[in-house]
């Protein structure tokens, strides 16, 4: 009989945790850290005691182990975050009360360890989950804002986790269901910030200006400021006053920063500071378009935003191109009603009853996907330009841009009338046919680019997942998808195309989940070729991820026949 101790050790080596195994030791260390940090007399120290920092470092190492399985922490998150935030809340209130005194006894860096631990929790589990356990009373607004204002005086300090935590805390407080002006006490004796010049002394005006200050900072501070500003500007009491001015400011910031400093250089590019300014403004727009309920307040800014999205100054920066893709799709979704999406899901939802129904019952619904007509929807004129931008992004050289554009086209097609959605499907299918030679039914991809094929296949998979591929389009597209399963181009002493084959497997997997009977008949007509190619790829492809994807697609088809 094997030694149980050895078995336990064998399971620990390289294994993924399935529960929070160190919860007892972690909670004990948490109580010790919270007790030490809540000692008011220690708040005058420049740094936390050594024992407290040692415990915090051990707790951070414990949390890092659960990055692959963060849900293991969920049963204990409320206790952990509430315990830490109770200490931070007391500190913020005390810091706010003594901040305006000539010699404030409370130091700025005393709680760096606590803030660092809160940031680690956000990194492991995600800030959206951690925010659920943050305090969000009306009385918290001004102390948190004033503390962040004071922490922003010296932006070069190393306590960026503290500023990030305060930013996401303010993003939660920005959602309080009360008028911001009603809780503004008119406090104006805040320390001056050299990088900030504003004539608006109201709480909301300073709130917006403080968020702008962090949009040009790399790392988490930019993301936290973007979330905070989007939630603040999506409020009804700020829609008419602050939102139009901010969007104009963001447009000016992007346009001004996109001009290269040295225009005489042959390959004049953007400086890193300019790229950060552009990315910060675009991040706010992405979050803002997602949080808004209506586009009526944006009618005057849409032409200006469209010109920005079509600028050619961002070709060297993949993150910027991805943000533009996200902003375009979210603005397009904001301008379209959500009724068509529900109608599309009505026939795209997998149904075991339909799969097991008799032929007579299936025949009644056999042409539902081809004959279904969406209700009359007023499509904005700018929608063609938005879709054109996303179709162009499918050819991008970076995967993150192509993937974002593919998801955007799928989401927009869901809300468009069926006739327009079919045009988009054909346009995506035409990308596969560009630069492709067809001779006696054989598709030659030697002159094609893997970027275009990869983007088009990802987009087809997203359209298929949403039930946008009708039977007639499937007959035209499936042969090209089957060819994508064996896509490979020789480039010197190496070959490219593994990402295309993986995307083709994704399309095959998503096609199996289309439940309407007319699509099943199309697959039945091509089942031999599809099955043969999938099995050969699952067995012989050199890339392990492609073999797994092909095997999953084949099993999905077999299980749903």
């Amino acid at each position: 009989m094997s030694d149980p101790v050895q078995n336990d050790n064998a399971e620990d080596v390289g294994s993924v945790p399935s529960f929070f195994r160190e919860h007892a030791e972690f909670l004990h260390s948490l109580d010790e850290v919270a007790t030490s940090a809540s000692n008011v007399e220690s708040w005058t120290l420049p740094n936390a005691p050594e024992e407290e920092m040692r415990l915090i470092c051990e707790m951070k190492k414990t949390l890092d182990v659960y990055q692959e399985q963060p849900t293991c922490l969920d049963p204990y998150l409320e206790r952990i975050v509430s315990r830490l935030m109770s200490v931070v809340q007391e500190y913020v209130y005390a810091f706010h009360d003594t901040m305006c005194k000539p010699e404030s006894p409370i130091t700025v860096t005393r709680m760096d360890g606590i803030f660092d631990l809160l940031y680690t929790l956000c990194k492991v589990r995600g800030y959206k989950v951690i925010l659920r356990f943050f305090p969000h009373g009306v009385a918290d607004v001004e102390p948190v804002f004033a503390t962040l204002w004071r922490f922003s005086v010296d932006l070069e300090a190393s306590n960026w986790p503290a500023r990030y935590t305060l930013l996401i805390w303010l993003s939660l407080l920005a959602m309080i269901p009360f008028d911001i002006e009603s809780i503004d006490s008119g406090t104006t004796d805040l320390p001056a910030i050299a990088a900030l010049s504003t004539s608006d002394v109201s709480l909301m005006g300073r709130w917006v200006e403080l968020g702008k200050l962090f949009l040009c900072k790399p790392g988490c501070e930019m993301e936290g400021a973007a979330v905070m500003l989007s939630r603040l500007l999506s409020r009804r009491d700020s829609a008419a006053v602050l939102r139009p001015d901010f969007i104009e400011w963001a447009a000016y910031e992007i346009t001004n920063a996109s001009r290269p400093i040295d225009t005489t250089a042959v390959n004049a590019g953007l400086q890193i500071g300019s790229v950060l300014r552009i990315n910060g403004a675009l991040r706010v727009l992405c979050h803002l378009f997602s949080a808004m309920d209506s586009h009526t307040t944006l009618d005057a800014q849409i032409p200006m935003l469209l010109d920005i999205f079509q600028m050619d100054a961002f070709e060297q920066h993949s993150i910027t191109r991805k943000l533009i893709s996200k902003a375009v799709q979210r603005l397009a979704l904001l301008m379209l009603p959500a009724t068509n999406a529900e109608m599309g899901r009505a026939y795209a939802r997998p149904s075991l009853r339909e799969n097991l129904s008799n032929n007579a019952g299936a025949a009644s619904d056999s042409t539902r996907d081809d004959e279904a007509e969406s209700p009359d929807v007023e499509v904005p004129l700018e929608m063609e330009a938005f879709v054109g931008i996303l179709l162009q992004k499918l050819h991008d050289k970076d995967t993150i841009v192509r993937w974002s554009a593919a998801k955007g086209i799928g989401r927009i097609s869901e809300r468009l009338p069926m006739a327009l959605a079919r045009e988009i499907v054909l346009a995506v299918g035409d990308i596969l046919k560009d630069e492709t030679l067809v001779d006696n039914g054989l598709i030659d991809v030697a002159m094609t680019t893997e970027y275009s094929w990869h983007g088009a296949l990802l987009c087809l998979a997203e359209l298929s997942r949403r039930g946008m591929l009708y039977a007639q389009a499937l007959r035209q597209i499936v042969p090209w998808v089957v060819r994508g399963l064996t896509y490979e181009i020789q480039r010197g002493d190496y070959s490219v195309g593994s990402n295309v084959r993986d995307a083709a497997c994704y399309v095959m997997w998503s096609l199996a989940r289309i439940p309407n009977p007319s699509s099943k008949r199309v697959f039945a007509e091509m089942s031999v070729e599809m099955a043969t190619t999938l099995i050969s790829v699952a067995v012989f492809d050199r890339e392990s991820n492609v073999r797994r994807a092909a095997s999953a697609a084949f099993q999905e088809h077999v299980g749903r026949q």
Side-chain angles (χ1 to χ4, degrees), residues 87-359:
V87 178
V88 173
Q89 190 177 29
E90 294 177 5
Y91 171 80
V92 166
Y93 273 70
F95 189 87
H96 175 248
D97 294 339
T98 61
M99 184 178 61
C100 300
K101 295 182 179 180
E103 296 181 359
S104 178
I106 300 179
T107 59
V108 177
T109 57
R110 169 60 183 88
M111 289 291 174
D112 282 359
I114 300 294
F115 284 121
D116 201 5
L117 188 57
L118 284 168
Y119 164 72
T120 304
L121 286 168
C122 294
K123 177 184 68 174
V124 174
R125 190 61 184 95
Y127 76 91
K128 294 181 181 179
V129 177
I130 301 300
L131 271 181
R132 298 173 187 171
F133 311 111
F134 273 40
H136 48 274
V138 176
D140 297 328
V141 175
E142 286 196 331
V144 176
F145 173 78
T147 304
L148 178 61
W149 185 282
R150 176 61 184 83
F151 278 30
S152 305
V153 173
D154 185 12
L155 283 176
E156 301 302 325
S158 59
N159 59 344
W160 61 266
R163 296 194 291 269
Y164 172 72
T165 305
L166 293 174
L167 281 168
I168 62 173
W169 192 2
L170 274 179
S171 71
L172 178 65
L173 296 174
M175 301 173 66
I176 57 174
F178 301 101
D179 194 342
I180 297 294
E181 294 181 358
S182 65
I183 62 176
D184 186 1
S185 63
T187 304
T188 58
D189 48 352
L190 293 172
I193 300 179
L196 195 61
S197 60
T198 176
S199 58
D200 191 354
V201 296
S202 65
L203 177 60
M204 187 171 291
R206 289 195 174 195
W207 203 333
V208 173
E209 294 298 325
L210 184 60
K212 292 179 182 179
L213 185 64
F214 290 98
L215 290 180
C216 59
K217 301 300 175 183
C220 297
E221 293 172 280
M222 179 191 295
E223 181 65 22
V227 175
M228 182 194 71
L229 285 173
S230 65
R231 293 183 176 180
L232 180 64
L233 295 172
S234 62
R235 294 174 55 94
R236 292 184 178 180
D237 53 356
S238 65
V241 180
L242 297 177
R243 189 190 298 168
D245 294 339
F246 180 85
I247 293 179
E248 291 182 1
W249 172 86
Y252 172 79
E253 189 79 358
I254 296 172
T255 304
N256 189 40
S258 61
R259 299 190 183 99
I261 298 177
D262 186 8
T263 57
T264 60
V266 177
N267 295 321
L270 301 179
Q271 300 293 327
I272 184 63
S274 300
V275 176
L276 292 176
R277 289 166 56 193
I278 295 172
N279 291 351
L282 287 173
R283 283 185 187 275
V284 181
L285 293 179
C286 290
H287 287 289
L288 181 60
F289 296 155
S290 179
M292 290 173 58
D293 297 329
S294 174
H295 70 283
T296 54
T297 58
L298 297 176
D299 291 339
Q301 286 86 14
I302 287 178
M304 174 180 56
L305 293 172
L306 189 57
D307 293 337
I308 291 175
F309 296 152
Q310 294 175 327
M311 293 177 63
D312 298 330
F314 315 123
E315 294 302 320
Q316 300 178 358
H317 307 282
S318 59
I319 299 296
T320 306
R321 300 196 304 274
K322 176 190 173 183
L323 291 173
I324 289 177
S325 176
K326 292 180 67 174
V328 167
Q329 64 178 277
R330 292 185 178 182
L331 180 57
L333 292 174
L334 183 64
M335 299 172 65
L336 289 172
T339 54
N340 275 24
E342 297 299 327
M343 187 202 69
R345 295 189 189 99
Y347 74 83
R349 187 183 295 114
S351 172
L352 181 61
R353 177 175 301 185
E354 289 185 5
N355 290 341
L356 299 179
S357 62
N358 296 326
N359 293 334

Side-chain angles (χ1 to χ4, degrees), residues 50-67:
E50 293 184 1
E51 180 64 17
E52 179 182 333
M53 292 303 300
R54 184 188 66 82
L55 291 174
I56 289 176
C57 290
E58 292 180 356
M59 295 168 69
K60 288 168 55 180
K61 291 180 181 178
T62 302
L63 291 174
D64 287 336
V65 176
Y66 293 89
Q67 288 196 59

